[in-house]
Structures are given as C-alpha cells and as structure tokens.
Amino acid sequence: MTQVLGIVDIIWRGRNIPVEKGAKFRQGGIKNNAVTYGRKVGRAQEFQGSQITATTNLEAGQSLGNLLDPGEGELQVLCDTGQTFVFNDAFLVDDRPEVTGGEGGKIELKWAASAGEELI
C-alpha cells in the first residue's frame, strides 16, 4: 500500500513549530493563465509565490513576540512522505494574527515566499 501525505511539520528559523492537522502549502513557480482572444484561447505565464498556512497553539511560557517576528527567514515544510520544501526568503503575511481562546489558543500562521527548493 502506498503512503500518502498525512503529517506536516513546520520549522521556522530553526525552531520546530508544532502544528495542528490541516497545514497546507502551495509551491510557488510559473503558472499559466487562460487568455481568450477571438475564438481562441492562449496562455500567458506569470510567477505565483509560495503560500504556507499552519495553525499552532499558544503554550504556557511561550513568547508570542518571538513567534510573530515580522522579518524574513528560512521556513521548512517537512512531509511524512519524505519531501522537504525549503523557503529561504519566507515571511509572515499577517504579522499580528488573532489568538483564539477556549480552543487551545489557536494561532493561524501564514507565510509567503518565493519558489521553494524541494528535497527528496
């Protein structure tokens, strides 16, 4: 039986960020856009950046300020299927996300980056 993606681990600036089920990412790169002209459809290419979204929880004694630093850094997305995606110029898109109380202090983190490097 073939294994498929189940667990995603996030490492932000060398620190493992424990994430809830449902983390997602989109690898950046060239994408095609449909262009209709006359009775034809052509394609025009553009670059689309990478997007990474994960939810973590606020823990006792944790510094929220250290987690939400607005600068750039290295972000790694490790998949339990063996792939690792490294984004060297990642940054948090929403520097001040909401912290949800009563549900474990959920914090949704969103990063943007250029195309990442895939390591297998």
Side-chain angles (χ1 to χ4, degrees):
M1 188 179 290
T2 302
Q3 179 182 355
V4 295
L5 182 62
I7 300 171
V8 173
D9 290 312
I10 301 286
I11 298 176
W12 173 230
R13 295 182 177 157
R15 180 175 168 227
N16 187 9
I17 306 294
V19 299
E20 292 188 352
K21 180 178 176 180
K24 54 188 173 180
F25 66 95
R26 180 186 67 212
Q27 172 71 309
I30 299 295
K31 73 174 218 165
N32 289 322
N33 293 320
V35 177
T36 304
Y37 57 103
R39 294 176 182 250
K40 294 177 74 174
V41 175
R43 63 184 172 93
Q45 294 184 327
E46 73 173 311
F47 181 82
Q48 184 175 39
S50 297
Q51 258 185 345
I52 303 93
T53 304
T55 300
T56 189
N57 298 79
L58 183 63
E59 299 173 345
Q62 180 181 20
S63 171
L64 192 56
N66 288 342
L67 179 63
L68 303 179
D69 185 333
E72 291 181 3
E74 182 183 88
L75 178 73
Q76 296 179 22
V77 176
L78 289 76
C79 303
D80 67 348
T81 48
Q83 300 92 341
T84 297
F85 297 88
V86 180
F87 304 92
N88 292 312
D89 61 351
F91 57 93
L92 284 165
V93 176
D94 184 358
D95 295 338
R96 298 291 164 222
E98 294 178 346
V99 179
T100 306
E103 294 184 28
K106 290 185 180 186
I107 306 168
E108 185 179 67
L109 301 172
K110 294 179 183 179
W111 291 271
S114 297
E117 180 182 357
E118 181 179 11
L119 309 173
I120 297 179

